[in-house]
């Protein structure tokens, strides 16, 4: 399997990253995604890191989208942390 490319290359630069013009909510999610990547020992922020960070904020648009799709967004970050996700390369449900 090919390693994932960094989602937001600027999110890897230094500890004092300023958000680069993003909204406060987006900057906070990117900061949390960086922290999540560091906690798991990664050097790059991945899409999974960013998704978990976005879904951790109950006021985020991502939570609203998941809710409208019938997916309990509050469960997703914990499932990601637990490794309960998985990949479905053929489009089948995980």
């Amino acid at each position: 399997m090919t390693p994932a490319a960094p989602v937001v290359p600027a999110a890897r630069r230094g500890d004092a990253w300023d958000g680069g013009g993003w909204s406060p909510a987006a900057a906070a999610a990117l900061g949390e995604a960086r922290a999540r990547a560091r906690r798991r020992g990664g050097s790059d922020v991945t899409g999974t890191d960013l998704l978990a960070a976005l879904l951790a904020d109950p006021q985020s648009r991502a939570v609203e989208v998941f809710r409208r799709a019938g997916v309990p967004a509050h469960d997703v970050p914990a499932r990601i942390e637990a490794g309960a996700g998985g990949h479905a390369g053929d489009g089948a449900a995980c």
Side-chain angles (χ1 to χ4, degrees):
M1 188 163 124
T2 304
V7 174
V8 183
R12 300 185 280 145
R13 295 184 195 138
D15 289 333
W17 188 64
D18 68 0
W22 295 89
S23 71
L30 289 170
E32 177 54 32
R34 286 179 62 233
R36 185 182 186 283
R38 282 193 304 267
R39 284 192 302 271
R40 68 173 167 70
S43 60
D44 293 329
V45 174
T46 66
T48 304
D49 296 320
L50 185 55
L51 178 62
L54 289 168
L55 293 177
D57 176 1
Q59 301 301 313
S60 76
R61 174 82 169 123
V63 170
E64 179 183 341
V65 169
F66 270 60
R67 186 182 70 246
R68 287 181 185 219
V71 177
H74 61 277
D75 291 345
V76 175
R79 292 185 64 187
I80 290 171
E81 289 295 326
H87 300 282
D90 62 358
C94 294

